[in-house]
Amino acid sequence: MSKSLDHDPIFDVAIIGAGVVGCAMARRFTLDGAKVVVLEKAAEVLDGASKANSAILHTGFDAPPGSVEQSCVAAGYAEYLDIRDGLGLPVLKTGAMVLAWNDEQLASLPALVEKAHQNGVLDVELRSREALLEAEPALSPNLKGGFVVPGEYVIDPWATAHAYILQAIANGAVLRRNAEVLGGVFEDGIWDLEVTSGAVRAKQVINCAGLYGDVTDARLLGQAGFTIKPRKGQFVVFDKPASELAGAVLLPVPTKTTKGVVIFRTIFGNLAVGPTAEEQESRTEATTETASLHDLRAKGIEMLPALAQFEVTTVYAGLRPATEHQDYQISQDVARNYVSVSGIRSTGLSAALGIARHVAAMNVGVAFDGGPIKNPIIPSADRLSNYHGRDWEDAGHGGIICHCELVTKREILAALNGPMAPTTLQGLKRRTRVTMGRCQGFYCTGALSSLTQGYLDPPIGEDDE
Amino acid sequence: MSDVLNCNVAIVGGGTAGLALATALRAQGVADVVVLERDVEAGGVPRHCGHYPFGIRELGRAFKGPDYARALVRNAKAAGVEIRSGVTVTALHPNARLGLNTAEGNVELQANRVALCTGVRESSRAQRFLSGTRPQGVLTTGALQAMVYLNGKRPFKRPVILGSELVSFSAIMTCRHGGMRAAAMIEEGPRVTVRNFMRPYAALKGVPLFTGARDLRIHGHREVEAISFTNRRGVTEMIETDGVIISGQFRPEAALLHASHLDVDAGTGGPVIDQYGRATDPSYFVTGNLLRPVETSGWCWREAGETARRMARDLSDPIGRVPFVCQRSVDPALRFVLPQRIALTDAAGAMTQMQMRVSEPVSGHLVAMAAGNTVMSQFIDSRPERRILTPMVSLSRLGQAQDVEVKILR
């Protein structure tokens, strides 16, 4: 094991999985001076649990005090607000409200406020029904009471993770897509990984495989200490004018198993309702269900009666990698230079940067040459927020292709020809928002099929001979 | 941001309605008429409807959609209309002022009058709350036609068509044109939606038709693999397919309205208009399918001619704000009533007919009530795909201004 030629390098760290956690991990270790390779089995990053969530940056007010989750969310939250200006990541400081709709829920509020204070989120405060209705006049008068969490933000779930991995790549990390880890051997301090796209060697492995966390542990360690139990969440997204109905993120009183159905604005200007919480076997199939979508819409209208007048823009479903345990499952196999980061069920977007620091602080036993990068490159994130400057506002954009989301030819071509260029329509949508507006591609699919010719697999359409 | 541009009439949308309106305005002697088209070329939906028959009424013979669109553009230009394509209207401001965006940047346009002609689009898969996975290859007919006729692309080979409106049959023809073959047509209603069923039926030959389908579900991971449904006998059918065409269920393209100061009607999905065809800001006129889903190009063309006469009159002798009452449907079976406002003046030159559509097959007396009085009553026997036209209600018998409520007495 002495080969260190360019075509067969030994990486300091191999990160398995490019969800938001893997992307944050890649950034952290790259900035800390490690030579990092990220192995993603899908054609695009963010193809698993991270492709569909509620896009909220949580304070962690409701996490179990003393849990790994709570500390990672708190640390992730703080670091996000610290770095987001530099990376150009937009935030919308909406705040949140936890709302009680019956007496039982009302009675449970003081304990939840107490828990928030225990978690160090000290600005959480009880509010009267009247005060809440004054702040959010579209809420149903059936409201009983609630409390406010002023520090909650709405963020861009995709640009965020893309910014992490793009910063890692800009500073030397290698991303391999279509690279599934099938197995591996640890020998003489080196992991020899069998990967669908070709073997990879690394001193350290960090499993961030999300929905495949247990499968990956089993493939590399022989067993996993937990079982992934995919939990499906469906969402209904309303047209942009509906966003005026709710200033704050509207949260229900959580139950033991779920945080419940949330109403939240998105940074793209819409108002969304979801998720459902449905346990299932499949790790790949996140279906929408007609009945659940009607039910979500009805739940939304129950809380915000005026929502009944607004059109639906889209619906989606995602899978959270829950396990049989409440807390995150982060464990280290010191003897085999291996860390497993699993069970990041629903707070991964908020906690990712904190999880990365948590793992980095485990002192994984590998020294990186040179130490932290002195002046790391800070690339700019995709500018997709409805509330901040967009590409179409700047001259020379080459024309608007997607009229609903005002996506320009210039930004589509920049994504297709830039670093980590998308190779699927799904990936392009997450990078640019093309076809994600109210017409869902009615107007722009034709033009897009020509513009993306030669870039996407599968293509949007084949040439008609 | 440079100077503010000016024009007399700014028309938002260069489809059939916008081009017909512009041309008719010029014929009325109105100067400085500008059509703003966000696409690379004006012409609208007919640009990618590569089949007959367009233009029989208005151009005297049958055209294919793209030729019809070109003829409308040609006629407009010949009449002295200025067509600016690649211009996106980003905002509607009070008193006929528009925010525009082009590749060169943002600019504002101040007109004397604006006409909104942004048309319709089909409902998406998401808006229908369909079950199943979300693979690539689920398209509306409009998206398919733009791929086939404007870009020479084929998104799939053997798609299933959801819906049985006129546009659904047009999708079959688009498939044939693009070298695709429809695997089936599936309708959730008990019968085919399109009227004069026998004519488009010829297009269906060889395409299995399933009506009364329930529990539709799309299957497939990256790409569509199958669609399943429960047939009218309660048996689950699974059809292998590589694409799904979501057809019909048109809705007005009202995005600009929703973000503006203008009122939107929940029934039509378009703007609230008065008897003169004006939105709730009288400097804004509205014509074409933005008013309501959905009429043919021929109908929109004719309607635009009437709108042009009212606009021309308003430009030379402003109507201004007039006292009015509101009218609305109070019957779930009556989807909309157009116009939503009736003038309490003599309304010279205003619309003389009301338009309505039902949401289910209904037969009974259509009744308009105001202040306890019946101001209109007419027997109807209608279906959702049929347009209902009635004379405008007469308010002369009313002692006081009170809103009009329209319903159907079965």
Side-chain angles (χ1 to χ4, degrees), chain B residues 131-153:
Chain B
S131 290
T133 53
R134 305 198 309 132
Q136 195 169 319
V138 181
L139 297 177
T140 50
T141 318
L144 171 72
Q145 290 179 333
M147 285 184 73
V148 170
Y149 290 111
L150 299 179
N151 293 275
K153 291 272 191 294

Side-chain angles (χ1 to χ4, degrees), chain B residues 208-246:
Chain B
L209 168 71
F210 300 89
T211 55
R214 291 176 292 116
D215 310 326
L216 289 167
R217 178 173 292 273
I218 293 171
H219 304 264
H221 291 280
R222 290 217 307 174
E223 296 173 87
V224 177
E225 290 162 20
I227 185 162
S228 64
F229 60 93
T230 307
N231 71 17
R232 56 196 322 159
R233 286 173 286 112
V235 179
T236 303
E237 301 257 8
M238 174 82 80
I239 299 176
E240 279 186 33
T241 179
D242 60 349
V244 180
I245 302 170
I246 309 281

Side-chain angles (χ1 to χ4, degrees), chain A residues 234-442:
Chain A
Q234 301 179 57
F235 296 82
V236 175
V237 181
F238 288 84
D239 198 3
K240 294 185 178 183
S243 65
E244 284 173 22
L245 297 182
V249 172
L250 306 176
L251 301 158
V253 172
T255 68
K256 272 223 144 39
T257 52
T258 170
K259 291 189 175 195
V261 173
V262 183
I263 298 182
F264 55 99
R265 288 156 75 193
T266 73
I267 198 109
F268 313 115
N270 299 85
L271 189 73
V273 180
T276 58
E278 307 158 66
E279 287 214 0
Q280 66 173 45
E281 290 290 317
S282 172
R283 298 163 192 254
T284 53
E285 201 156 281
T287 59
T288 56
E289 300 294 330
T290 307
S292 321
L293 298 173
H294 281 293
D295 189 45
L296 276 177
R297 182 170 181 273
K299 279 202 170 107
I301 292 169
E302 214 175 284
M303 292 185 263
L304 289 177
L307 199 53
Q309 300 156 27
F310 291 89
E311 278 193 6
V312 168
T313 289
T314 190
V315 299
Y316 64 95
L319 299 174
R320 287 101 93 185
T323 68
E324 66 272 44
H325 307 286
Q326 269 282 322
D327 204 355
Y328 292 173
Q329 297 298 298
I330 302 179
S331 61
Q332 184 175 16
D333 185 329
V334 178
R336 286 189 276 185
N337 288 359
Y338 187 97
V339 179
S340 177
V341 180
S342 295
I344 315 298
R345 45 199 175 90
S346 66
T347 42
L349 180 63
S350 306
L353 295 168
I355 294 168
R357 282 200 179 273
H358 178 87
V359 172
M362 284 174 152
N363 187 10
V364 291
V366 178
F368 312 133
D369 302 341
I373 297 178
K374 294 251 162 32
N375 292 302
I377 296 166
I378 305 177
S380 287
D382 301 323
R383 297 159 61 206
L384 304 177
S385 165
N386 194 60
Y387 302 94
H388 302 80
R390 290 277 307 275
D391 189 63
W392 65 268
E393 294 165 72
D394 298 332
H397 58 60
I400 289 170
I401 301 293
C402 167
H403 298 291
C404 299
E405 292 295 307
L406 298 173
V407 184
T408 70
K409 186 174 181 178
R410 175 173 59 193
E411 61 189 335
I412 292 169
L413 290 176
L416 290 174
N417 295 298
M420 198 174 72
T423 62
T424 66
L425 177 58
Q426 281 301 322
L428 183 64
K429 286 162 77 166
R430 293 197 286 266
R431 291 296 300 278
T432 63
R433 290 202 58 69
V434 71
T435 77
M436 296 187 85
R438 41 178 84 80
C439 91
Q440 295 280 296
F442 176 87

